[in-house]
Amino acid sequence: MKAGILGYGNLGRGVEAAINKNEDMELVAVYTRRDPAGLKICTPGASVKHIDALADGKEDLDVLIICGGSATDLPEMTPKYAALYNVVDSFDTHANIPKHFGAVDAAAKAGGKVGLISCGWDPGMFSLNRLYAHSVLPDGRDYTFWGTGVSQGHSDAIRRIEGVLDARQYTVPVPEALERVRRGENPELTTREKHTRECYVVAEEGADLKRIENEIKTMPNYFADYDTTVTFISMEEMKEKHAGLPHGGSVIYSGETGTNGMKHVIEYSLKLDSNPEFTGSVLAAYARAVVRLNAEGVTGGKTVFDIAPAYLSPVSGEELRAHWL
Amino acid sequence: MKAGILGYGNLGRGVEAAINKNEDMELVAVYTRRDPAGLKICTPGASVKHIDALADGKEDLDVLIICGGSATDLPEMTPKYAALYNVVDSFDTHANIPKHFGAVDAAAKAGGKVGLISCGWDPGMFSLNRLYAHSVLPDGRDYTFWGTGVSQGHSDAIRRIEGVLDARQYTVPVPEALERVRRGENPELTTREKHTRECYVVAEEGADLKRIENEIKTMPNYFADYDTTVTFISMEEMKEKHAGLPHGGSVIYSGETGTNGMKHVIEYSLKLDSNPEFTGSVLAAYARAVVRLNAEGVTGGKTVFDIAPAYLSPVSGEELRAHWL
């Protein structure tokens, strides 16, 4: 399976690492909007090309994994390339998924390709677990907790404050809330009761720390609805203790069956050392599925909901039945 | 969706309870080898019929959920009825799955039906989670822990000992082993290190308790390889404290990505008040998938690996994309 990666940020590098763990996959090229000459990748033998090389659909790729941002990159890129290649993306602006799906579906159908959107862990594996749980236990409800992990969007928001040199924001689930949900209490929880936000900030020398802390804690959408702590640290400590991008979380579903109040709790949880490497691994597995489906004649837009699990695995159906059930 | 249930033991009653939680499903009839006149079911309006009514394939059913034992019932029943109806079973004799699948696949193809085998939580939801995890993180390993929960096979084995009136056996995961696996240590664990077995036994008056305890603890395959505790209790205590059939467990997968040793732990866990009601709920969801697949022209044998998650849900694709991703 010949794969290409479009975009070489954290996620692109995560996909590259994942491809190299899969023996049936080969990274052919990384495509970039930057000057290819300035980009070093980790895979010997794979090329680095300018994004324009993709334009005529003649690149020798079974699948193109598009690693761009959901705000402006993916709405343009994924439909464009879905007309030319089988593609997978990690589009995660929930409100715009139907519109994005419509555009990718039309392009992929016109081009005779498969375009799978919104892949990763949330949306992605977490969505799957919500769907499986609701389908098995229709009388119940799901809770999603994120963290402990780095939110890059929240870290970026802090960095835009005047006087801030660097910042890292951890989303942390509230232990009491988690426990109540795990016990099957089905509590009503406010935003504040579910997660706290812990911020580590490197400030310019002489900056007004009180003002920075206040600007963070009162920032609408990002922090105002949460109990937020702000800790100022040195650049050395930032580099030493906060260089990674760990994340994770839990989808917990609590449902009832029968007429005697039998309760059941289903929990799916992730503890990830590297958010982009795990997300990249999910994208690689779904890239395999997309290539296989297209080889069977399937075309159009897909999400993780549409993919039978067997398509993700290099193991044959016979083997799966004999050893994995 | 018109459903029938073949067999009305614990699992059959669990499926009935599940069907009644799904608004798009209707229980048409329960089929039994016993005298139908002697069987009371919980669903008003559904009939009770002798199994022979199924023989000519003329029952008005979209799907038949077969709730028999894996040792002798299902190997005969599932292929037989897969030729006549869409069917779902919970066949769980792992070593014989390929043979059973072959028989069901051939019969279902000949009859133009879909036959889904080995559904439930293990095999079933646990198998799915092993497959998803291995596919996403090829460099890693999975561990399955069962319990705390009642093993009916082990309880039955104790009941066959002379002098035993009733017995309940709980399978209990060893907390230290669970913790090591959750930490991503990837330990080598013997059978004894993973689970203990707790037995509650009601003995006949005057029975030789020492002999019974010894017979349990040394029973090959069932108990000899485990640390087993035996507690003798009264029939009253058995009825009061051990009437339920709780179960559950965890599939824990620990894998690595990249070249910097990034570790990721995926855990899927179940805490079930009623093993048969949860298993029945899984069977009901897959019955929906089987009916839909067959309506699209699909025929033959299937397992949970072959079913795209969207088929399990009564929610439309548009709705799923808009609100569930």
Side-chain angles (χ1 to χ4, degrees), chain B residues 87-305:
Chain B
V87 298
V88 176
D89 82 13
S90 63
F91 187 79
D92 66 357
T93 310
H94 290 261
N96 297 338
I97 285 175
K99 188 179 168 207
H100 186 57
F101 180 85
V104 173
D105 185 47
K109 277 186 180 138
K113 302 293 179 185
V114 172
L116 185 131
I117 66 159
S118 301
C119 188
W121 60 274
D122 199 3
M125 302 311 294
F126 273 16
S127 324
L128 278 179
N129 276 279
R130 289 186 285 257
L131 177 59
Y132 274 116
H134 273 280
S135 302
V136 168
L137 300 176
D139 181 6
R141 64 184 281 184
D142 68 80
Y143 295 81
T144 302
F145 291 90
W146 295 273
T148 300
V150 173
S151 165
Q152 303 204 60
H154 288 78
S155 301
D156 289 343
I158 300 173
R159 282 190 208 102
R160 285 191 291 265
I161 293 174
E162 202 194 312
V164 170
L165 291 174
D166 199 2
R168 202 72 83 253
Q169 194 269 183
Y170 294 89
T171 306
V172 182
V174 175
E176 295 74 29
L178 259 174
E179 279 317 305
R180 292 184 64 193
V181 170
R182 282 189 179 130
R183 281 199 299 268
E185 289 184 20
N186 281 359
E188 295 294 334
L189 296 168
T190 63
T191 299
R192 193 179 297 275
E193 287 169 328
K194 283 184 72 186
H195 297 92
T196 53
R197 299 202 174 274
E198 297 179 2
C199 311
Y200 295 87
V201 179
V202 182
E204 285 174 9
E205 226 183 284
D208 180 349
L209 304 187
K210 276 252 178 298
R211 174 192 52 82
I212 292 174
E213 180 168 345
N214 188 55
E215 278 193 42
I216 295 172
K217 289 185 171 179
T218 57
M219 199 185 294
N221 302 318
Y222 285 89
F223 295 100
D225 296 335
Y226 297 86
D227 289 337
T228 302
T229 58
V230 177
T231 307
F232 290 97
I233 60 175
S234 67
M235 192 58 95
E236 290 67 42
E237 189 175 344
M238 177 65 77
K239 283 182 179 152
E240 194 188 326
K241 295 189 184 162
H242 303 282
L245 292 170
H247 219 313
S250 300
V251 172
I252 308 177
Y253 188 91
S254 166
E256 212 171 293
T257 58
T259 51
N260 297 316
M262 293 287 119
K263 286 203 167 194
H264 311 283
V265 179
I266 307 172
E267 177 165 353
Y268 178 81
S269 68
L270 297 173
K271 262 192 328 204
L272 312 175
D273 274 358
S274 163
N275 184 357
E277 288 192 10
F278 185 79
T279 304
S281 299
V282 180
L283 265 64
Y286 276 91
R288 175 184 291 119
V290 156
V291 172
R292 286 176 163 185
L293 282 167
N294 191 239
E296 290 179 5
V298 173
T299 66
K302 300 285 169 199
T303 74
V304 294
F305 297 152

Side-chain angles (χ1 to χ4, degrees), chain A residues 17-18 21-22 94 97-98 101 117-118 122-139 142 182-184 256-275 277-278 281-282 285-286 288 301 303-314 317-318 320-322 324-325, chain B residues 17-18 21-22 94 97-98 101 117-118 122-139 142 182-184 256-275 277-278 281-282 285-286 288 301 303-314 317-318 320-322 324-325:
Chain A
K21 286 277 189 188
N22 282 286
H94 290 260
I97 286 175
F101 181 84
I117 66 158
S118 301
D122 198 4
M125 302 312 294
F126 273 17
S127 324
L128 278 179
N129 276 280
R130 289 186 285 258
L131 176 59
Y132 274 116
H134 273 280
S135 301
V136 168
L137 300 177
D139 181 5
D142 67 82
R182 282 189 179 131
R183 281 198 299 268
E256 212 172 293
T257 57
T259 51
N260 297 317
M262 293 288 118
K263 286 202 167 197
H264 312 282
V265 179
I266 306 172
E267 176 165 354
Y268 177 80
S269 67
L270 297 174
K271 260 190 332 201
L272 312 175
D273 273 358
S274 163
N275 185 355
E277 288 191 10
F278 185 78
S281 299
V282 181
Y286 277 91
R288 176 184 290 119
T303 74
V304 294
F305 296 153
D306 304 311
I307 309 298
Y311 282 97
L312 303 174
S313 171
E318 292 73 27
L320 288 179
R321 286 189 293 275
W324 295 57
L325 261 173
Chain B
K21 287 277 188 188
N22 283 286
H94 290 261
I97 285 175
F101 180 85
I117 66 159
S118 301
D122 199 3
M125 302 311 294
F126 273 16
S127 324
L128 278 179
N129 276 279
R130 289 186 285 257
L131 177 59
Y132 274 116
H134 273 280
S135 302
V136 168
L137 300 176
D139 181 6
D142 68 80
R182 282 189 179 130
R183 281 199 299 268
E256 212 171 293
T257 58
T259 51
N260 297 316
M262 293 287 119
K263 286 203 167 194
H264 311 283
V265 179
I266 307 172
E267 177 165 353
Y268 178 81
S269 68
L270 297 173
K271 262 192 328 204
L272 312 175
D273 274 358
S274 163
N275 184 357
E277 288 192 10
F278 185 79
S281 299
V282 180
Y286 276 91
R288 175 184 291 119
T303 74
V304 294
F305 297 152
D306 305 310
I307 309 297
Y311 282 96
L312 303 175
S313 171
E318 291 74 25
L320 288 180
R321 284 189 294 275
W324 294 57
L325 260 172

Side-chain angles (χ1 to χ4, degrees), chain A residues 56-259:
Chain A
D56 62 1
K58 301 241 171 86
E59 290 292 287
D60 185 20
L61 299 175
D62 295 313
V63 63
L64 177 67
I65 303 172
I66 308 181
C67 302
S70 294
T72 54
D73 296 340
L74 298 178
E76 185 228 316
M77 286 176 173
T78 312
K80 178 172 174 182
Y81 297 112
L84 304 169
Y85 305 96
N86 296 313
V87 297
V88 176
D89 82 13
S90 62
F91 186 80
D92 66 357
T93 311
H94 290 260
N96 297 338
I97 286 175
K99 188 178 166 209
H100 187 56
F101 181 84
V104 174
D105 184 47
K109 277 186 179 138
K113 302 294 179 183
V114 173
L116 185 131
I117 66 158
S118 301
C119 188
W121 59 275
D122 198 4
M125 302 312 294
F126 273 17
S127 324
L128 278 179
N129 276 280
R130 289 186 285 258
L131 176 59
Y132 274 116
H134 273 280
S135 301
V136 168
L137 300 177
D139 181 5
R141 64 184 283 184
D142 67 82
Y143 294 81
T144 302
F145 291 89
W146 294 275
T148 299
V150 173
S151 164
Q152 303 204 60
H154 288 78
S155 302
D156 289 343
I158 300 173
R159 283 191 207 102
R160 286 191 291 265
I161 293 174
E162 203 194 310
V164 170
L165 291 174
D166 199 2
R168 203 71 86 250
Q169 192 269 184
Y170 294 89
T171 306
V172 182
V174 175
E176 295 74 28
L178 259 174
E179 279 317 305
R180 291 184 63 195
V181 170
R182 282 189 179 131
R183 281 198 299 268
E185 288 183 20
N186 281 0
E188 294 295 334
L189 295 169
T190 63
T191 299
R192 193 178 297 276
E193 288 170 327
K194 283 183 73 185
H195 296 92
T196 53
R197 298 202 176 275
E198 297 180 2
C199 311
Y200 295 86
V201 180
V202 182
E204 285 173 9
E205 225 183 286
D208 180 348
L209 303 187
K210 275 252 179 300
R211 175 192 52 82
I212 292 174
E213 179 168 346
N214 189 55
E215 279 192 43
I216 295 172
K217 289 186 170 177
T218 58
M219 197 185 296
N221 302 320
Y222 285 88
F223 295 101
D225 296 336
Y226 297 85
D227 289 336
T228 302
T229 58
V230 177
T231 307
F232 290 96
I233 61 174
S234 68
M235 192 59 95
E236 290 66 44
E237 190 176 343
M238 178 65 77
K239 283 181 181 153
E240 194 189 325
K241 293 191 185 160
H242 303 283
L245 292 169
H247 219 314
S250 300
V251 172
I252 308 177
Y253 188 92
S254 164
E256 212 172 293
T257 57
T259 51

